[in-house]
DNA sequence: TCAGATCACCGC
DNA sequence: AAACGCGGTGATCTGA
């Protein structure tokens, strides 16, 4: 782990930080003008609906307007520390049925988030020397072995909404260069298939299936062709939820199912993917004995509090505390193995570019994606090298599939 | 003016 | 009592 991955990665990250990534400041300034105008319009609508002005950015003031003044019925969801009524996204979506204001607030929040966190912040961080933004990569920024990124964080640039995606358009290569983006397809589920050895999950990936649709069919017994988008979305939630140790409570809440339906779905999942259940139980037993878990390549994360005591007590932890640590331990094997694999790929890809005399250079890593800035004439070669290096970084029981695309900005490659 | 807590929300 | 893992950032609020 240290000699072959972390030690050589130091220089790779150092070079990526020094290289930075080019950001089109003028484009963001123009977006900023549009967004500010739009934000003011939405803000006026909100104030009209409330009957008076207030700071929409203040959950405290918003709470007062929604629940005291307009008399909307709270959902029951409370905030974490102060246990007051939440004004979070899910709550506002539900409240939208009662009054037009919550939907406007959701709109306001999207605009204000994009404007404040990226559109206004990024231009200030462009180095006037080279027109590029130089993030910091923290090699062990996450407890699982993942990188983190700060000042600015370039691992959480928007992509989900159309407006958000426009921010990615401002990330551009040098004139005459292109971006090549490569991302591991369903990386963590493939790792789970490998670690658990589950034959059904392995078959799905080996046959190149749409894993969420496949799971939906496998769990319900419905033929693959008859899986509806809604059913597929539920299966997708379960596929991810398994990696995170999701409860039936949350699945039910988020998918609009009853507790019984959610429980049945999860039960059916483990009946179909039995080795996944065994794998999770195996990790839990291992950490109870050794107080640590290991990833595919031997990275360790310590959980001393989870070592089983002689008398079977929980070592001073409440049940929720212990369960939270167990979820962390199980997830760390999967997420950490993903980190191992992409970090090794980065080390090898850097060496490959050097050995092949290519000018191409890695500029970003976003957990399962590498973004490379490439002279136009090298694109075809680099695409081949990137795919080859990433796909062969680990030999798993399933193929490690990589999607590779090139384009003129960071939005165009997705 | 500043630090820390809180809430909310962006990504994988 | 809590309920899905890993991060970072901005706005607000509070108190020094």
């Amino acid at each position: 782990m240290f000699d072959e991955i972390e030690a050589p990665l130091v220089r790779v990250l150092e070079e990526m930080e020094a290289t930075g990534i080019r950001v089109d400041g003028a484009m963001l300034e123009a977006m900023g003008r549009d967004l500010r105008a739009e934000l003011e319009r939405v803000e006026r609508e909100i104030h009209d609906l409330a009957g008076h002005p207030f700071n929409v950015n203040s959950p405290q003031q918003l709470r007062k307007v929604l629940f005291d003044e307009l008399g909307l019925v709270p959902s029951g969801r409370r905030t974490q520390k102060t246990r007051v009524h939440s004004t979070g996204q899910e709550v506002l979506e539900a409240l939208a049925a009662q009054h037009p204001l919550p939907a406007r607030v959701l709109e306001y929040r999207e605009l204000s988030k994009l404007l404040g966190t990226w559109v206004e912040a990024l231009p200030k961080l462009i180095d006037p020397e080279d027109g590029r933004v130089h993030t910091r990569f923290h090699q062990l920024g996450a407890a699982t072995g993942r990188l983190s990124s700060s000042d600015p964080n370039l691992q959480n640039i928007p992509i989900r909404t159309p407006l958000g995606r426009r921010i990615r358009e401002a990330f551009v290569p040098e004139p005459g260069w292109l971006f090549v983006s490569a991302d591991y397809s369903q990386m963590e589920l493939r790792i789970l298939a490998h670690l658990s050895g589950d034959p059904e999950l392995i078959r799905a990936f080996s046959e190149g299936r749409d894993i969420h649709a496949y799971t939906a069919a496998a769990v319900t017994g419905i033929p693959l062709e008859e899986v509806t988008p809604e059913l597929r979305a539920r299966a997708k939630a379960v596929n991810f939820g398994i990696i995170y140790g999701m409860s039936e409570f949350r699945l039910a809440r988020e998918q609009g199912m009853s507790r019984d339906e959610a429980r049945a779905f999860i039960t059916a999942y483990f009946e179909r993917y039995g080795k996944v259940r065994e794998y999770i139980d195996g990790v839990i037993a291992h950490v109870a004995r050794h107080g640590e878990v290991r990833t595919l390549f031997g990275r360790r994360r310590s959980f001393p509090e989870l070592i089983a005591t002689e008398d079977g007590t929980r070592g001073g932890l409440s049940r929720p505390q212990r369960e939270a640590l167990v979820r962390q331990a199980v997830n760390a094997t999967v997420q950490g193995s993903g980190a191992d694999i992409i970090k090794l790929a980065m080390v090898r890809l850097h060496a490959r570019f050097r050995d092949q005399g290519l000018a191409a250079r890695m500029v970003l890593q976003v957990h399962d994606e590498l973004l490379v800035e490439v002279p136009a004439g090298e694109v075809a070669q680099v695409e081949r090298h990137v795919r080859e290096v990433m796909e062969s970084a680990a030999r798993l029981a399933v193929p490690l599939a990589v999607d590779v695309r090139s384009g003129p900005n960071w939005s165009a490659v997705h």
Side-chain angles (χ1 to χ4, degrees), chain A residues 121-132:
Chain A
L122 282 173
K124 296 179 191 160
L125 296 164
I126 299 174
D127 184 339
E129 290 286 311
D130 57 7
R132 300 170 76 96

Side-chain angles (χ1 to χ4, degrees), chain A residues 73-151:
Chain A
V73 186
S75 67
R77 284 261 266 174
R78 305 284 177 131
T79 59
Q80 198 49 240
K81 293 285 177 198
T82 56
R83 315 306 301 171
V84 292
H85 294 303
S86 163
T87 69
Q89 219 164 70
E90 269 186 65
V91 171
L92 294 182
E93 280 163 12
L95 292 177
Q98 297 179 45
H99 193 278
L101 192 137
R104 300 280 100 177
V105 173
L106 286 168
E107 227 178 298
Y108 180 95
R109 288 241 178 102
E110 187 192 356
L111 296 172
S112 148
K113 178 83 182 177
L114 296 177
L115 186 68
T117 308
W118 296 289
V119 177
E120 292 185 332
L122 282 173
K124 296 179 191 160
L125 296 164
I126 299 174
D127 184 339
E129 290 286 311
D130 57 7
R132 300 170 76 96
V133 170
H134 301 265
T135 187
R136 302 175 60 201
F137 286 110
H138 307 279
Q139 187 160 357
L140 296 169
T144 52
R146 273 191 181 181
L147 300 182
S148 71
S149 156
S150 72
D151 311 291

Side-chain angles (χ1 to χ4, degrees), chain A residues 25-41 115 119-120 166:
Chain A
M27 182 184 284
L28 291 175
E29 308 278 2
M31 266 188 81
R33 285 189 287 276
D34 293 350
L35 283 179
R36 274 185 293 274
E38 182 69 3
L39 197 59
E40 279 176 30
R41 194 182 62 73
L115 186 68
V119 177
E120 292 185 332
R166 291 194 46 210

